[in-house]
Amino acid sequence: MIGYVVVPGIDGSDVAHWQSRWEQGWGERAVRIEPASWSVPELDDWVAAVERAADLLAPRVDGIVLVAHSLGCWAVAEWLAATAHRPLGVLLVAPPDPSGTAFRSIVTAGFLEVTARPLPVATVLVASSDDPYCGVEAARELGRQWGSTVEVIAAGGHLNSASGLGDWPRGKESLARLTVR
């Protein structure tokens, strides 16, 4: 049985967000991270929250997949560099471009120091052609640096609640590519 660590972006994902909807459907097979710094994100706090969630979930399942959105993608990338856990894969949705002005205006110093480097597990990065936090070329470059398969969605915004994705079947297809062996 596969378990899922849900890693939202700043302020978490509201009930209309596809992450929250998926999490509800997974029931006890899912654990959402709980950093103390949701609104003023501290990298070390978020990485520790991912570790706690993975530690909590691992004994209950046969394998873990992380489902990250926005700033959560960076928390997961940094966590992978430090953890002994080896998840089955990671879905990275709408990671913000760390060189962009929007990114620099909302994060604390720890997140300003992130750099993309090869990730030790299979990853799918889903980007949108009109994401205000990361252009397509920047997303493709992040994918190249992380070693991710990159999928671009046309006109999906930041792929969040405001995008009106509902249960986001297209995202579930991307997730399935990580879990089909």
Side-chain angles (χ1 to χ4, degrees), residues 147-161:
S148 302
T149 299
V150 177
E151 300 174 2
V152 178
I153 305 284
H158 191 49
L159 300 171
N160 57 8
S161 297

PDB file of all heavy atoms in Angstrom, residues 147-161:
ATOM      1  N   GLY A 147      16.500  16.502 -12.387  1.00  0.00           N
ATOM      2  CA  GLY A 147      16.393  15.204 -13.037  1.00  0.00           C
ATOM      3  C   GLY A 147      14.949  14.745 -13.151  1.00  0.00           C
ATOM      4  O   GLY A 147      14.664  13.548 -13.189  1.00  0.00           O
ATOM      5  N   SER A 148      14.032  15.693 -13.243  1.00  0.00           N
ATOM      6  CA  SER A 148      12.600  15.407 -13.287  1.00  0.00           C
ATOM      7  C   SER A 148      12.093  15.262 -14.716  1.00  0.00           C
ATOM      8  O   SER A 148      12.604  15.888 -15.632  1.00  0.00           O
ATOM      9  CB  SER A 148      11.807  16.567 -12.653  1.00  0.00           C
ATOM     10  OG  SER A 148      12.202  16.808 -11.336  1.00  0.00           O
ATOM     11  N   THR A 149      11.049  14.479 -14.862  1.00  0.00           N
ATOM     12  CA  THR A 149      10.244  14.515 -16.075  1.00  0.00           C
ATOM     13  C   THR A 149       9.394  15.772 -15.963  1.00  0.00           C
ATOM     14  O   THR A 149       8.769  15.999 -14.930  1.00  0.00           O
ATOM     15  CB  THR A 149       9.339  13.273 -16.150  1.00  0.00           C
ATOM     16  OG1 THR A 149      10.161  12.106 -16.188  1.00  0.00           O
ATOM     17  CG2 THR A 149       8.428  13.327 -17.357  1.00  0.00           C
ATOM     18  N   VAL A 150       9.386  16.610 -16.981  1.00  0.00           N
ATOM     19  CA  VAL A 150       8.644  17.872 -16.931  1.00  0.00           C
ATOM     20  C   VAL A 150       7.408  17.784 -17.818  1.00  0.00           C
ATOM     21  O   VAL A 150       7.496  17.367 -18.975  1.00  0.00           O
ATOM     22  CB  VAL A 150       9.523  19.067 -17.370  1.00  0.00           C
ATOM     23  CG1 VAL A 150       8.725  20.363 -17.377  1.00  0.00           C
ATOM     24  CG2 VAL A 150      10.734  19.192 -16.450  1.00  0.00           C
ATOM     25  N   GLU A 151       6.274  18.175 -17.242  1.00  0.00           N
ATOM     26  CA  GLU A 151       5.014  18.226 -17.969  1.00  0.00           C
ATOM     27  C   GLU A 151       4.469  19.646 -17.837  1.00  0.00           C
ATOM     28  O   GLU A 151       4.414  20.178 -16.735  1.00  0.00           O
ATOM     29  CB  GLU A 151       4.021  17.224 -17.384  1.00  0.00           C
ATOM     30  CG  GLU A 151       4.529  15.791 -17.441  1.00  0.00           C
ATOM     31  CD  GLU A 151       3.628  14.802 -16.743  1.00  0.00           C
ATOM     32  OE1 GLU A 151       2.560  15.195 -16.226  1.00  0.00           O
ATOM     33  OE2 GLU A 151       3.987  13.613 -16.726  1.00  0.00           O
ATOM     34  N   VAL A 152       4.081  20.249 -18.950  1.00  0.00           N
ATOM     35  CA  VAL A 152       3.574  21.618 -18.939  1.00  0.00           C
ATOM     36  C   VAL A 152       2.086  21.609 -19.253  1.00  0.00           C
ATOM     37  O   VAL A 152       1.660  21.033 -20.257  1.00  0.00           O
ATOM     38  CB  VAL A 152       4.339  22.519 -19.939  1.00  0.00           C
ATOM     39  CG1 VAL A 152       3.756  23.929 -19.951  1.00  0.00           C
ATOM     40  CG2 VAL A 152       5.826  22.557 -19.595  1.00  0.00           C
ATOM     41  N   ILE A 153       1.317  22.260 -18.400  1.00  0.00           N
ATOM     42  CA  ILE A 153      -0.130  22.415 -18.552  1.00  0.00           C
ATOM     43  C   ILE A 153      -0.383  23.791 -19.179  1.00  0.00           C
ATOM     44  O   ILE A 153       0.185  24.787 -18.726  1.00  0.00           O
ATOM     45  CB  ILE A 153      -0.828  22.381 -17.167  1.00  0.00           C
ATOM     46  CG1 ILE A 153      -0.470  21.128 -16.394  1.00  0.00           C
ATOM     47  CG2 ILE A 153      -2.322  22.600 -17.288  1.00  0.00           C
ATOM     48  CD1 ILE A 153      -1.137  19.895 -16.836  1.00  0.00           C
ATOM     49  N   ALA A 154      -1.252  23.858 -20.144  1.00  0.00           N
ATOM     50  CA  ALA A 154      -1.576  25.143 -20.767  1.00  0.00           C
ATOM     51  C   ALA A 154      -2.511  25.950 -19.872  1.00  0.00           C
ATOM     52  O   ALA A 154      -3.525  25.440 -19.402  1.00  0.00           O
ATOM     53  CB  ALA A 154      -2.241  24.916 -22.119  1.00  0.00           C
ATOM     54  N   ALA A 155      -2.119  27.190 -19.611  1.00  0.00           N
ATOM     55  CA  ALA A 155      -2.968  28.173 -18.924  1.00  0.00           C
ATOM     56  C   ALA A 155      -3.620  27.644 -17.648  1.00  0.00           C
ATOM     57  O   ALA A 155      -4.814  27.770 -17.456  1.00  0.00           O
ATOM     58  CB  ALA A 155      -4.024  28.709 -19.883  1.00  0.00           C
ATOM     59  N   GLY A 156      -2.797  27.111 -16.742  1.00  0.00           N
ATOM     60  CA  GLY A 156      -3.315  26.610 -15.459  1.00  0.00           C
ATOM     61  C   GLY A 156      -3.012  27.512 -14.291  1.00  0.00           C
ATOM     62  O   GLY A 156      -3.261  27.143 -13.145  1.00  0.00           O
ATOM     63  N   GLY A 157      -2.425  28.689 -14.550  1.00  0.00           N
ATOM     64  CA  GLY A 157      -2.065  29.582 -13.447  1.00  0.00           C
ATOM     65  C   GLY A 157      -1.052  28.917 -12.531  1.00  0.00           C
ATOM     66  O   GLY A 157      -0.166  28.204 -12.989  1.00  0.00           O
ATOM     67  N   HIS A 158      -1.219  29.122 -11.238  1.00  0.00           N
ATOM     68  CA  HIS A 158      -0.285  28.543 -10.260  1.00  0.00           C
ATOM     69  C   HIS A 158      -0.705  27.127  -9.844  1.00  0.00           C
ATOM     70  O   HIS A 158      -0.163  26.575  -8.904  1.00  0.00           O
ATOM     71  CB  HIS A 158      -0.170  29.469  -9.045  1.00  0.00           C
ATOM     72  CG  HIS A 158       0.953  29.114  -8.116  1.00  0.00           C
ATOM     73  ND1 HIS A 158       2.242  28.881  -8.555  1.00  0.00           N
ATOM     74  CD2 HIS A 158       0.966  28.945  -6.775  1.00  0.00           C
ATOM     75  CE1 HIS A 158       3.003  28.589  -7.506  1.00  0.00           C
ATOM     76  NE2 HIS A 158       2.256  28.613  -6.423  1.00  0.00           N
ATOM     77  N   LEU A 159      -1.660  26.547 -10.563  1.00  0.00           N
ATOM     78  CA  LEU A 159      -2.144  25.190 -10.301  1.00  0.00           C
ATOM     79  C   LEU A 159      -2.583  25.041  -8.843  1.00  0.00           C
ATOM     80  O   LEU A 159      -2.235  24.089  -8.152  1.00  0.00           O
ATOM     81  CB  LEU A 159      -1.085  24.150 -10.682  1.00  0.00           C
ATOM     82  CG  LEU A 159      -0.672  24.183 -12.157  1.00  0.00           C
ATOM     83  CD1 LEU A 159       0.520  23.277 -12.419  1.00  0.00           C
ATOM     84  CD2 LEU A 159      -1.830  23.809 -13.070  1.00  0.00           C
ATOM     85  N   ASN A 160      -3.366  26.013  -8.393  1.00  0.00           N
ATOM     86  CA  ASN A 160      -3.855  26.046  -7.018  1.00  0.00           C
ATOM     87  C   ASN A 160      -5.380  26.165  -7.014  1.00  0.00           C
ATOM     88  O   ASN A 160      -6.021  25.959  -8.040  1.00  0.00           O
ATOM     89  CB  ASN A 160      -3.193  27.198  -6.244  1.00  0.00           C
ATOM     90  CG  ASN A 160      -3.414  28.542  -6.911  1.00  0.00           C
ATOM     91  OD1 ASN A 160      -4.165  28.679  -7.867  1.00  0.00           O
ATOM     92  ND2 ASN A 160      -2.739  29.553  -6.403  1.00  0.00           N
ATOM     93  N   SER A 161      -5.955  26.518  -5.884  1.00  0.00           N
ATOM     94  CA  SER A 161      -7.419  26.647  -5.789  1.00  0.00           C
ATOM     95  C   SER A 161      -7.963  27.659  -6.779  1.00  0.00           C
ATOM     96  O   SER A 161      -9.015  27.439  -7.393  1.00  0.00           O
ATOM     97  CB  SER A 161      -7.821  27.068  -4.369  1.00  0.00           C
ATOM     98  OG  SER A 161      -7.455  26.074  -3.462  1.00  0.00           O
TER      99      SER A 161
END
